[in-house]
């Protein structure tokens, strides 16, 4: 059974940092492209960042130069380092594991940005 378990969400002040983690189990982690997505209230889910099995990364324009996605193929974990957070970054952040004909989601972790 595949599980993706996010952690690290919470309340942070504008301009502050936060690091999200997603621990994967039940799959061959290093074969999957891992991604972070977010959904704010009343909005559609959107891509934040992805990292391929080979380490290539892709970011939404809104988070480039502020967020960094990384992965640890020994710990089967993907991270999202978020810096210079803005109120518009507040959302539920979900982890995704994707490869051909296989797609899995975590339950999400809430990020709130407020003073």
């Amino acid at each position: 059974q595949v599980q993706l378990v996010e952690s690290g969400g919470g309340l942070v002040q504008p301009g502050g940092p936060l690091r999200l983690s997603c621990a994967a189990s039940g799959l061959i982690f290093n074969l999957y492209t891992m991604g972070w997505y977010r959904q704010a209230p009343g909005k559609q889910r959107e891509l934040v960042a992805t990292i391929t099995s080979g380490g290539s990364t892709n970011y939404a324009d809104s988070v480039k130069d502020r967020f960094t996605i990384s992965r640890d193929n020994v710990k089967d974990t993907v991270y999202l380092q978020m810096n210079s957070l803005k109120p518009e970054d507040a959302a539920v952040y979900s982890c995704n594991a994707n490869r051909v004909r296989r797609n899995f989601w975590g339950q999400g972790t809430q990020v709130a940005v407020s003073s």
Side-chain angles (χ1 to χ4, degrees), residues 1-110:
Q1 180 182 359
V2 174
Q3 284 192 311
L4 302 176
V5 180
E6 300 99 335
S7 60
L11 173 63
V12 62
Q13 291 188 340
L18 203 62
R19 189 174 88 149
L20 305 182
S21 300
C22 171
S25 60
L27 51 73
I28 303 175
F29 182 79
N30 60 10
L31 296 182
Y32 283 76
T33 291
M34 300 300 297
W36 288 97
Y37 292 74
R38 67 187 182 186
Q39 187 169 20
K43 294 187 177 181
Q44 289 189 330
R45 183 166 58 194
E46 63 176 357
L47 169 72
V48 176
T50 60
I51 183 167
T52 68
S53 57
S56 297
T57 58
N58 179 56
Y59 296 93
D61 287 343
S62 60
V63 307
K64 277 180 183 176
D65 301 324
R66 297 190 298 124
F67 291 11
T68 302
I69 189 171
S70 60
R71 64 191 295 160
D72 185 330
N73 289 337
V74 174
K75 295 183 178 179
D76 291 356
T77 300
V78 61
Y79 304 97
L80 185 68
Q81 177 66 45
M82 305 185 292
N83 296 327
S84 303
L85 280 160
K86 303 175 181 180
E88 53 263 43
D89 293 319
V92 174
Y93 284 71
S94 297
C95 176
N96 174 265
N98 181 267
R99 62 175 300 203
V100 176
R101 292 189 296 275
R102 289 179 170 83
N103 192 55
F104 303 102
W105 291 94
Q107 82 288 351
T109 186
Q110 181 78 50

